């Protein structure tokens, strides 16, 4: 049995942060019903590239979910939504704050309908504070939250993380918030509202940058691919690319020097122990760089792995999807989609001894509308046809 | 009542991924007891900078936890640990796979002692697969998992994210796995083992890079601070730094052109709608860049915010901690530490209507040893003194 198989989620979210959260809930067995605008659906259904008209982006983040169409601007659509809310444990949305209230479907309204409801709102800046009403994009949040200022090279420009990490970490914290509320509700029967912001989430994942700044008064800057206090612990240019090498302690230093055929460096007083290597970095780096430049990525990886020195090629995505460990962990899964055919998407990092995530394809728009209206609200064909003719569904 | 106030966590983890997970559990009200090596403790207690001898790194990630010392290599230490396991809901560790088994304290042993136990293991590569035994560092995982290959500028080098995002996302997924197991146990009474890998976690947060590659066969590369399919949506150099601007649609394009005093660009056929701006990026970028270079960060932010164009300074950490929205959301909190005095650390992004995270200082090494041995295992002063003299605690 999957851990969340008794949990039902009514999901109004679109594009990334919210859908990433509901993907995890669905992977864990929750019954996730995506509520989409008739005709149009989740904006990301229109994001290319496409396979037989289906968006790769949408398919990879909406697996294991159901889809119903429902026009929440129409009074009849609101009525149906409220009736559905009675049957669900969780409502999830990632609209700009105030949107649900304007629709007459805010938490205050819904909790009267379903007092045990867990209502999760995921937004750019959160439901409170002077920035609450602003539109947010991942790139703006990465800039505002300080992550870009510590990513990149000292001589270069502040750098955006290549994945939408502000959306994704907000999605992860929203998942955690929902689950915490579920655990509590199992004891108390009480529902709650969860309010997650992308900006808060980025501040929370800056690691030690904030504590370091508060204590030293020194503003942390980008340090490229180096470790701040261990040497050598960085990427080196090699003959055909670049590799990451992590000489985490003095034992590894000896192994590394042997492996690169520079045994004379091991006991060289300037480099013998890590604090000296950090202090004499400017002397050490050119020596190592000139040796590393002499062989290729694959040659160095073979040599360093044999010597037990932690290292890795800087894998491009084609190498990642074929990586033996990635494959052994089922992190690339095949899904058969009714329209798109067989596609490969990332698997789930959530591994349990007593449960295994399964993967069903993302729904086509409104695929489960009839089924859900019949099963949960006891509607008949006639009622459903009338709703469809009136563009409510 | 905080959501996890009935949950007890025995935490063997060190440094970052595991402690980040148990920090979230503790923030949510769980009773987290950190088990540390006598005399030495968590490695990160030795990471600078320090305030009155206390590590800023350690203090920021170990708030709200208790600490006991216990030597797990000594038979008496193992016995005490097993007795403690009976009283806890969750055991968390982030050792290299196999370590707990070698100590005689693997999941198979512990689940016999406590069948409802949730055992969470967080490691570099996971408990299975050909890489399972290898040591992992965040930088190596960011390289191996493909994140570095899509971060940075096309003409530049692959770039490590400036925060330890492989550790942190693994910590977040471990938190999710533990909570999912808690929800299930509330229904079934069954425990489970959760197995989270840093490499899996990075693959899972690559966003759409994998689906895109699988469908197009084109290997995604770094695109700097640009959006792949929206223009202008990137950072611009201005007179005294750089700012992020996100012109997400054609309405915003018109507002942006007015704001930068280039109204003639709005209806210019090459730039009128987004697909044209993307196609004619090489013509548009220099025009915009030369305008943007004429004013400062603060001048542009004032102008663009007034015009309703999403934008942000690329904030350094000193600006982040004083940002009005960050402050309004309590994302910087003051803690009074008994040794270090008043320090500021990041707050929690987990906001609930019916519960509020509180912040107690990180424990000093072994601060709660006596209390816990007395309360949970009914030991007396004599027994505790003998354990201390024998370096068991």
């Amino acid at each position: 049995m999957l851990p969340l198989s008794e949990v039902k989620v009514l999901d109004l979210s679109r594009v990334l942060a919210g859908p990433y959260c509901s993907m995890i809930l669905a992977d864990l067995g929750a019954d996730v019903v995506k509520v989409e605008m008739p005709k149009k659906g989740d904006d990301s259904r229109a994001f290319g590239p496409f396979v037989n008209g289906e968006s790769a982006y949408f398919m990879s983040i909406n697996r294991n979910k159901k889809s119903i169409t429902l026009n929440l601007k129409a009074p009849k659509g609101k009525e149906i939504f409220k009736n559905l809310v009675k049957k669900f444990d969780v409502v999830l949305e990632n609209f700009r704050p105030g949107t649900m209230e304007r629709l007459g479907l805010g938490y205050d309204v819904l909790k009267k309908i379903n007092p045990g409801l867990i209502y999760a709102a995921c937004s750019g800046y959160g439901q409170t504070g002077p920035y609450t009403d602003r539109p947010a994009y991942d790139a703006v949040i990465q800039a505002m939250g300080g992550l870009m200022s510590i990513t990149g090279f000292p001589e270069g420009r502040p750098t955006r993380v290549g994945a939408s990490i502000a959306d994704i970490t907000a999605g992860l914290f929203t998942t955690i918030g929902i689950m915490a509320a579920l655990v509590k509700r199992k004891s108390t029967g009480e529902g709650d509202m969860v309010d997650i912001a992308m900006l808060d989430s980025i501040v929370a994942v800056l690691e030690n940058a904030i504590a370091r700044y508060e204590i030293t008064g020194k503003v942390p800057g980008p340090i490229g691919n180096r470790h701040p206090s261990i040497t050598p612990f960085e990427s080196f240019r090699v003959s055909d690319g670049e590799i990451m090498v992590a000489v985490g302690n003095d034992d590894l230093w000896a192994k590394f020097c042997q492996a690169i055929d520079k045994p004379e460096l091991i006991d060289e007083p300037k480099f013998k122990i890590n604090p000296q290597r950090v202090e004499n970095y400017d002397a050490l780096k050119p020596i190592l760089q000139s040796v590393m430049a002499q062989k290729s990525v694959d040659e160095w990886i073979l040599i360093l792995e044999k010597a037990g020195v932690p290292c890795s090629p800087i894998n491009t995505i084609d190498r990642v999807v074929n990586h033996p460990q990635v494959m052994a962990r089922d992190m690339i899964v095949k899904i058969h989609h009714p329209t798109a055919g067989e596609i490969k998407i990332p698997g789930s990092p959530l591994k349990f001894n007593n449960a295994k995530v399964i993967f069903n394809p993302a729904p086509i728009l409104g695929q489960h509308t009839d089924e859900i209206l019949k099963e949960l609200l006891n509607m008949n064909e006639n009622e459903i046809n009338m709703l469809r003719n009136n563009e409510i569904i």
Side-chain angles (χ1 to χ4, degrees), chain A:
Chain A
M1 187 184 110
L2 280 164
L4 302 188
S5 56
E6 293 175 353
V7 177
K8 293 168 76 69
V9 181
L10 200 55
D11 178 14
L12 297 165
S13 69
R14 303 102 356 101
V15 186
L16 187 48
Y20 196 85
C21 164
S22 58
M23 173 186 78
I24 295 171
L25 299 174
D27 285 354
L28 291 170
D31 187 8
V32 175
V33 176
K34 230 178 134 68
V35 179
E36 302 186 77
M37 268 300 276
K39 304 263 161 64
K40 184 171 170 289
D42 186 331
D43 298 327
S44 70
R45 288 186 181 273
F47 294 178
F50 301 96
V51 194
N52 297 332
E54 301 291 334
S55 159
Y57 189 106
F58 181 84
M59 286 190 293
S60 71
I61 294 172
N62 290 284
R63 68 213 191 182
N64 288 334
K65 303 178 191 173
K66 294 174 183 164
S67 164
I68 67 168
T69 51
L70 191 59
N71 180 354
L72 295 177
K73 291 181 181 159
K76 184 69 186 171
K78 293 182 206 293
E79 183 195 317
I80 292 170
F81 181 76
K82 288 180 186 172
N83 286 332
L84 284 173
V85 165
K86 294 175 196 165
K87 314 278 182 177
F88 282 77
D89 304 291
V90 178
V91 164
L92 169 65
E93 53 98 345
N94 65 345
F95 293 114
R96 220 184 300 175
T99 305
M100 289 293 279
E101 286 74 12
R102 280 192 296 275
L103 289 169
L105 301 171
Y107 176 55
D108 286 344
V109 173
L110 300 185
K111 79 175 175 192
K112 278 177 203 140
I113 296 169
N114 178 353
L117 183 69
I118 294 162
Y119 180 104
C122 180
S123 60
Y125 301 100
Q127 306 294 311
T128 58
Y131 279 50
T132 183
D133 290 333
R134 296 192 187 202
Y137 292 100
D138 179 85
V140 171
I141 302 293
Q142 287 198 28
M144 195 177 294
L147 186 57
M148 284 183 66
S149 79
I150 59 170
T151 299
F153 293 86
E155 68 282 6
R157 298 170 62 182
T159 306
R160 180 180 172 270
V161 179
S164 294
I165 206 74
D167 276 296
I168 288 170
T169 53
L172 290 168
F173 278 114
T174 305
T175 311
I176 290 169
I178 289 171
M179 287 195 181
L182 282 167
V183 171
K184 182 177 175 183
R185 195 180 69 167
K186 287 264 189 184
S187 300
T188 65
E190 268 176 39
D192 207 340
M193 176 168 171
V194 182
D195 161 19
I196 304 294
M198 288 163 68
L199 181 61
D200 294 353
S201 300
I202 283 298
V203 171
V205 302
L206 290 176
E207 203 195 344
N208 59 337
I210 287 175
R212 231 181 327 139
Y213 166 71
E214 291 289 358
I215 278 166
T216 63
K218 242 184 88 181
V219 179
I223 55 166
N225 298 339
R226 275 186 72 182
H227 193 285
S229 55
I230 310 179
T231 295
F233 201 107
E234 65 185 302
S235 63
F236 288 94
R237 295 176 199 256
V238 300
S239 66
D240 62 344
E242 198 155 336
I243 65 169
M244 180 64 77
V245 179
V247 178
N249 57 52
D250 296 335
D251 286 345
L252 287 173
W253 170 243
K255 288 180 188 173
F256 175 68
C257 292
Q258 293 288 0
I260 66 170
D261 202 20
K262 285 276 178 190
E264 68 273 20
L265 293 177
I266 300 174
D267 291 319
E268 160 67 40
K270 276 192 297 182
F271 307 136
K272 193 171 177 181
I273 60 169
N274 182 60
Q276 293 165 333
R277 291 192 295 276
V278 172
E279 198 185 319
N280 299 303
Y281 177 82
D282 291 339
L284 180 58
K285 179 69 195 279
I287 299 173
L288 299 180
Q289 181 54 65
S290 73
V291 180
M292 298 306 289
Q294 291 164 18
K295 294 189 201 298
S296 69
V297 170
D298 290 345
E299 286 170 323
W300 277 127
I301 295 297
L302 208 67
I303 291 167
L304 294 173
E305 284 188 348
K306 208 174 149 196
V309 177
C311 63
S312 177
I314 297 181
N315 286 330
T316 42
I317 301 299
D318 52 326
R319 288 181 78 140
V320 173
V321 299
N322 293 305
H323 190 282
Q325 184 69 9
V326 171
M327 289 171 68
R329 297 282 289 177
D330 295 325
M331 283 308 295
I332 303 295
V333 294
K334 275 185 203 166
I335 288 193
H336 191 85
H337 187 281
T339 324
E342 191 177 279
I343 57 159
K344 285 186 187 171
I345 61 174
S348 170
L350 292 156
K351 316 285 186 194
F352 300 90
N353 269 25
N354 300 335
K356 196 166 154 42
V357 174
I358 49 170
F359 297 90
N360 294 307
I364 58 173
L365 181 60
Q367 185 180 334
H368 306 88
T369 306
D370 291 37
E371 169 191 327
I372 284 166
L373 294 180
K374 283 177 191 171
E375 281 180 18
L376 295 185
L377 302 185
N378 295 314
M379 288 191 184
N380 62 37
E381 290 284 347
N382 271 349
E383 289 172 286
I384 291 172
N385 284 336
M386 206 181 307
L387 290 171
R388 193 158 277 130
N389 291 337
N390 291 324
E391 298 185 349
I392 305 297
I393 60 173

